[in-house]
Amino acid sequence: MAAMTTGASGASPPLSTELPPPACTEEVPPPACAEMPLQQHQVVVLASPGAGHLIPLVELARRLAVDHGLAVTVVTLTGMSNPATDAAVLSSLPASVATAVLPAVSLDDLPPDVGFGTLMFELVRRSLPHLRALMEGGGGGPATALVCDFFGTAALPVAAELGVKGFVFFPNSFSLISIMRHIAQLHGDGVCSEYRDLPDPLRLPGGPALRHADLPDGFRDRTDPVYAYLVEEARRYGGADGFLVNSFEELETAMAVTFRRDAEDGAFPPVLPVGPFVRSNSGSESDDSACLEWMDRQPENSVVYVSFGTGGALSVEQTAELAAGLEASGHGFLWVVRMPSLDGNPYALGNAAIPGDKDDPLAWLPEGFLERTSGRGLAVAAWAPQVRVLAHPATAAFVSHCGWNSALESVAAGVPMITWPLYAEQRMNAAILTEVAGVALRPATRGGGGGGLVAREEIAAAVREIVEGEKGSAVRRLARELREAAARAWSPEGSSRRALAEVVGKWKASLVDGNGTVV
């Protein structure tokens, strides 16, 4: 097998090709609406670890199976994600979609302080022999197409060797693909003797001008070990058969036009917006009722929803400032409170909890806060039915970490946002939502650069502005308009529906020879 990906460390052991087959969690039953001959072939959807990657890929798999009758297998990796969370997300798939979990691979030889991104790229690279075995027929038939995500492009050469169409699904926006193109152009095709930083600001054609501080994690420092992986990933993009983006034309119009023109000129593979993929709001979780019953008692457009995703974590000091700001705003709120970060990291992974009363996230709130805000505010520990909350008529705005899934859920519900990015590509997403789409406001921070403390005064002012202010009025209007555009994208003749149908048509056509025989 050809070498897949290289990184800052060349100490990885050679990959064995004599490996056990992937563990399929269910057989691949015939999709109800598929043409019978096509059931012999599969679309393999490879998800890297993390709910933010898996959720939109599961929605894509559902569309491929239900709308287009394809036999789909969603493949996940062992390690770096919570198996219970993965299982909960995968349980929403229709019975016609199979799932497979690739066997564990060792990462013990990597340095103990290696970054999260490097671990992700290495996990995918070392899992490639298992993936090859599945694609060659070990999971219920040979593959027709491979769809991987941002961290999985090391699998593209495997797809090419097997004669399989290789597509990359971006659960993010067009902008991240544009940044990767810049990295590839910056470093060329030769061996890198020295890596170079992206320009500051980075002006994306048809997109925002990103300050260096707004670049995604891993892109800001050429000496970061993950930067070498990003360069190699970017160089593989030209070999992809196409890209599917969890966005829609009206959200990033100019950038969509730019990529379409480049594909027509042969400068880059096709990049097709096929979103927004938003989870169903018909959940049946038992914890829904109390939260939504409280929402039912609130006036229309009166509640500010506050949540930082499953991975976001605020410091103890920032948690106190947020509480004070919400209290001072005078507006109603529903706040999903998670355990604070005790080590300065803005994400929950690895944060230690203090045994006892402090295991409860609500125990970290300022003394008397819950009593003083009782009635107009509700704080819940760890989780709320977000899609249903955003769709509720009482919801006026969303204070969000700007994870792309959450951003699209807010856009689809027509809810304006206050941006509070924490990590990964969230600062870039905030720039898109504020500067390109105009559906969000960004509060000022102490220290600048988007990473400082957000003071209580700024929080209160932002909440008042988004709910009742003149500038907030324009943001609210644009949010309503974008909600209609998002709905149109997946209407029967919508742009995203047509784009996905175009790709599926090419996959099906590749199975049929000139005599109309399935090959």
Side-chain angles (χ1 to χ4, degrees), residues 204-257:
L204 303 180
L210 294 176
R211 301 171 302 161
H212 206 65
D214 287 336
L215 292 175
D217 293 349
F219 291 82
R220 295 190 290 270
D221 182 4
R222 70 178 185 274
T223 66
D224 188 327
V226 77
Y227 198 85
Y229 286 86
L230 294 171
V231 171
E232 294 304 313
E233 293 282 310
R235 287 170 165 172
R236 279 193 283 267
Y237 280 19
D241 290 295
F243 294 80
L244 307 176
V245 187
N246 191 17
S247 187
F248 56 101
E249 288 187 357
E250 291 86 345
L251 178 57
E252 301 177 89
T253 303
M255 192 161 280
V257 170

Side-chain angles (χ1 to χ4, degrees), residues 237-299:
Y237 280 19
D241 290 295
F243 294 80
L244 307 176
V245 187
N246 191 17
S247 187
F248 56 101
E249 288 187 357
E250 291 86 345
L251 178 57
E252 301 177 89
T253 303
M255 192 161 280
V257 170
T258 297
F259 275 107
R260 185 185 305 118
R261 183 182 63 243
D262 289 348
E264 292 169 352
D265 294 342
F268 198 73
V271 179
L272 303 172
V274 295
F277 292 133
V278 175
R279 292 171 290 178
S280 168
N281 65 359
S282 59
S284 59
E285 296 89 342
S286 60
D287 291 338
D288 283 7
S289 57
C291 173
L292 294 175
E293 285 174 5
W294 181 86
M295 292 287 290
D296 289 341
R297 296 193 294 271
Q298 308 310 308

Side-chain angles (χ1 to χ4, degrees), residues 314-317 319-320 337-342 351-370 381-382:
L314 304 179
S315 67
V316 175
E317 180 184 12
T319 300
V337 184
R338 298 184 63 84
M339 291 297 294
S341 169
L342 305 179
N351 286 339
I354 297 176
D357 291 342
K358 290 296 187 177
D359 282 339
D360 178 9
L362 302 185
W364 292 88
L365 296 175
E367 185 176 354
F369 169 75
L370 294 176

Side-chain angles (χ1 to χ4, degrees), residues 135-492:
M135 292 176 64
E136 288 177 330
T144 298
L146 168 73
V147 180
C148 62
D149 64 18
F150 172 79
F151 286 99
T153 58
L156 290 176
V158 175
E161 291 167 15
L162 297 176
V164 171
K165 297 288 185 182
F167 277 71
V168 183
F169 175 76
F170 264 72
N172 324 89
S173 68
F174 281 96
S175 295
L176 192 54
I177 304 180
S178 188
I179 293 175
M180 292 294 278
R181 287 186 71 184
H182 274 82
I183 279 191
Q185 293 164 0
L186 193 63
H187 294 89
D189 296 327
V191 177
C192 283
S193 58
E194 181 179 352
Y195 294 105
R196 291 184 280 175
D197 283 325
L198 289 164
D200 185 10
L202 175 60
R203 303 187 185 280
L204 303 180
L210 294 176
R211 301 171 302 161
H212 206 65
D214 287 336
L215 292 175
D217 293 349
F219 291 82
R220 295 190 290 270
D221 182 4
R222 70 178 185 274
T223 66
D224 188 327
V226 77
Y227 198 85
Y229 286 86
L230 294 171
V231 171
E232 294 304 313
E233 293 282 310
R235 287 170 165 172
R236 279 193 283 267
Y237 280 19
D241 290 295
F243 294 80
L244 307 176
V245 187
N246 191 17
S247 187
F248 56 101
E249 288 187 357
E250 291 86 345
L251 178 57
E252 301 177 89
T253 303
M255 192 161 280
V257 170
T258 297
F259 275 107
R260 185 185 305 118
R261 183 182 63 243
D262 289 348
E264 292 169 352
D265 294 342
F268 198 73
V271 179
L272 303 172
V274 295
F277 292 133
V278 175
R279 292 171 290 178
S280 168
N281 65 359
S282 59
S284 59
E285 296 89 342
S286 60
D287 291 338
D288 283 7
S289 57
C291 173
L292 294 175
E293 285 174 5
W294 181 86
M295 292 287 290
D296 289 341
R297 296 193 294 271
Q298 308 310 308
E300 187 173 342
N301 294 321
S302 67
V303 174
V304 175
Y305 174 58
V306 184
S307 177
F308 301 99
T310 56
L314 304 179
S315 67
V316 175
E317 180 184 12
Q318 184 63 85
T319 300
E321 287 294 306
L322 176 54
L326 291 174
E327 183 176 353
S329 75
H331 286 284
F333 62 86
L334 169 59
W335 181 6
V336 181
V337 184
R338 298 184 63 84
M339 291 297 294
S341 169
L342 305 179
D343 57 10
N345 289 321
Y347 46 85
L349 182 65
N351 286 339
I354 297 176
D357 291 342
K358 290 296 187 177
D359 282 339
D360 178 9
L362 302 185
W364 292 88
L365 296 175
E367 185 176 354
F369 169 75
L370 294 176
E371 292 77 13
R372 292 191 301 272
T373 58
S374 177
R376 71 172 173 90
L378 178 66
V380 298
W383 184 87
Q386 179 162 293
V387 174
R388 300 180 74 183
V389 168
L390 290 171
H392 198 284
T395 302
F398 181 17
V399 178
S400 173
H401 63 306
C402 301
W404 196 244
N405 288 333
S406 290
L408 290 181
E409 288 166 3
S410 196
V411 164
V415 175
M417 285 166 272
I418 295 173
T419 66
W420 198 312
L422 295 174
Y423 62 95
E425 86 293 354
Q426 293 166 10
R427 290 187 178 88
M428 178 188 72
N429 295 344
I432 296 167
L433 296 169
T434 55
E435 299 170 24
V436 177
V439 295
L441 298 177
R442 179 184 293 191
T445 60
R446 294 175 186 167
L453 185 79
V454 185
R456 61 188 67 189
E457 297 83 4
E458 295 294 341
I459 296 165
V463 168
R464 294 190 194 105
E465 183 61 52
I466 199 88
V467 175
E468 62 187 58
E470 183 177 345
K471 187 175 181 181
S473 176
V475 172
R476 296 192 299 273
R477 175 181 54 79
L478 289 172
R480 291 192 297 270
E481 292 175 358
L482 205 54
R483 174 188 59 195
E484 301 304 320
R488 287 195 301 272
W490 267 100
S491 65

